[in-house]
Amino acid sequence: MDPVQVVQEFTDASNARDVDRVVDCFSADAVVQNDAGHVFAQVVEAIRAHFGGFLSQSPNFHSEILSRIHVGSWVVQEEHVTGLVVKEPVPEFNTISAYRVEDGKIVKCIGLQ
């Protein structure tokens, strides 16, 4: 799969709240972090716990892709997120996420805010 297809599958899996599909999009040693360098999850078990934690609480979660660019192994997209619950409902918001894809798997996911 090319990088755009991998990131689209990740987005589709997240919107379906299918944690197994989400995790399958990542390499075994992938990193999920923010732009300040704070690591939310590293390695597949932590990625499962991270996404499983909030997706299980967010029955109406949806990420709409507003725009996307692809350069080499990077896919960057603007996302409009609704239905997120992290202990309490989070107001809808726009964010930018950057995904580095190698060998058909996400190796780095950076949330930019």
Side-chain angles (χ1 to χ4, degrees), residues 8-105:
Q8 185 61 55
E9 170 59 15
F10 166 74
T11 302
D12 293 345
S14 297
N15 285 339
R17 295 178 328 282
D18 186 332
V19 176
D20 290 333
R21 278 177 59 201
V22 166
V23 171
D24 192 48
C25 294
F26 288 88
S27 70
D29 59 349
V31 176
V32 178
Q33 68 182 70
N34 67 14
D35 56 334
H38 174 77
V39 174
F40 296 107
Q42 186 169 10
V43 304
V44 115
E45 297 82 12
I47 290 169
R48 177 179 300 282
H50 175 70
F51 286 98
F54 72 80
L55 288 175
S56 67
Q57 298 177 46
S58 305
N60 297 314
F61 177 85
H62 185 77
S63 178
E64 177 185 358
I65 308 311
L66 301 177
S67 62
R68 175 185 282 158
I69 61 170
H70 169 225
V71 178
S73 63
W74 286 94
V75 177
V76 178
Q77 54 191 33
E78 179 185 10
E79 305 166 3
H80 180 76
V81 178
T82 57
L84 177 62
V85 177
V86 181
K87 296 183 183 174
E88 295 185 19
V90 175
E92 63 184 74
F93 62 95
N94 285 8
T95 187
I96 297 173
S97 297
Y99 305 88
R100 184 171 175 200
V101 178
E102 295 178 358
D103 298 321
K105 299 287 184 178

